[in-house]
Amino acid sequence: MTSELDIFVGNTTLIDEDVYRLWLDGYSVNDAVALRVRSGILEQTGATAGVLQSDTMDHYRTFHMLERLLHAPPKLLHQLIFQIPPSRQALLIERYYTFDEAFVREVLGKKLSKGTKKDLDDISTKTGITLKSCRRQFDNFKRVFKVVEEMRGSLVDNIQQHFLLSDRLARDYAAIVFFANNRFETGKKKLQYLSFGDFAFCAELMIQNWTLGAVDSQMDDMDVDLDKEFLQDLKELKVLVADKDLLDLHKSLVCTALRGKLGVFSEMETNFKNLSRGLVNVAAKLTHNKDVRDLFVDLVEKFVEPCRSDHWPLSDVRLFLNQYSASVHSLDGFRHQALWDRYMGTLRGCLLRLYHD
């Protein structure tokens, strides 16, 4: 009696997304197998525990071999060893560079150096993210930083070109690179209520308006370094609070425009000068590296906390900041309108994002 057997031979590399996630999350083969068993895969497929162990080990070997290519994603696209469809290649790259919110909040703004890497044990314990996953995420941050920090052109475009990430993920990495380069403080207790998304939003505004690239797209490190000349010029804004007549006129213009429109009008009128001094003095101090690093601490201390203590709703904060910014254009004695707009346009957006009423 003869039997017929149909055989199909292919060389497409099979990628199990669930196993890939377990590998990225830093689980050992044995832990991954245990988690797969718990998911009910043996009952669903009829496989034995031995087959599941071999299947997991085989996937882990493949991922390990792919990892060196994932460090430079264009190489994955051009290699011929692994036959992986383009959609699967994109998935492998995107997920490899995806990071945990809890992890990035612990390292955001810190120097991407060996010193910070030594803290990963503590971060792993604090966040519940495996040490292996913490190391992968940290090394990804450092790798992207090293590749793009000296490049001309758009930071987001450079990241997309060299790492083939989606637009959203490339923008997140641009924020991480920008914060690491300028060493913004994000770890203080009073900043813990802020998410990575809050900081990334502010980073995007600052990159668009406060960097060298905001005025000259051909400048070196255009989107990474703050425009030092702009920061120096911000000292000119101090006249808004140093000149009593200008300060009084500014207050009068804002109060006249907002009377009857603001639920916290009396609180605003009482605290106007303190709030204005806070916002202008933040600008005047940005010539010093330490004050640049403390930008978000200062914004929370000088504006967010005073308004929150008086129970300003977000809608009133928005009305106030819009009028506060616009009224300066009616001050005849003020000669730095363009500088003011460049500063307050970004600051207004950041403050509205930082303010959680």
Side-chain angles (χ1 to χ4, degrees), residues 10 20 73 82 92 107 124 126 142 147 151 160 178 182 191 202 228 233 236 240 245 250 253 259 296 308 326 345:
Y20 188 48
F82 300 97
L92 287 170
V107 300
S124 173
K126 179 179 178 180
K142 187 175 181 180
V147 168
M151 285 185 175
Q160 284 188 296
F178 183 70
N182 293 288
L191 300 179
C202 296
K228 294 288 198 301
D233 289 345
E236 302 292 344
L240 286 169
D245 292 337
H250 192 189
L253 289 169
R259 194 179 303 276
F296 293 97
R308 192 185 287 153

Side-chain angles (χ1 to χ4, degrees), residues 309-320:
S309 68
D310 281 338
H311 308 292
W312 288 41
L314 180 59
S315 57
D316 279 5
V317 173
R318 181 177 287 106
L319 275 173
F320 170 76

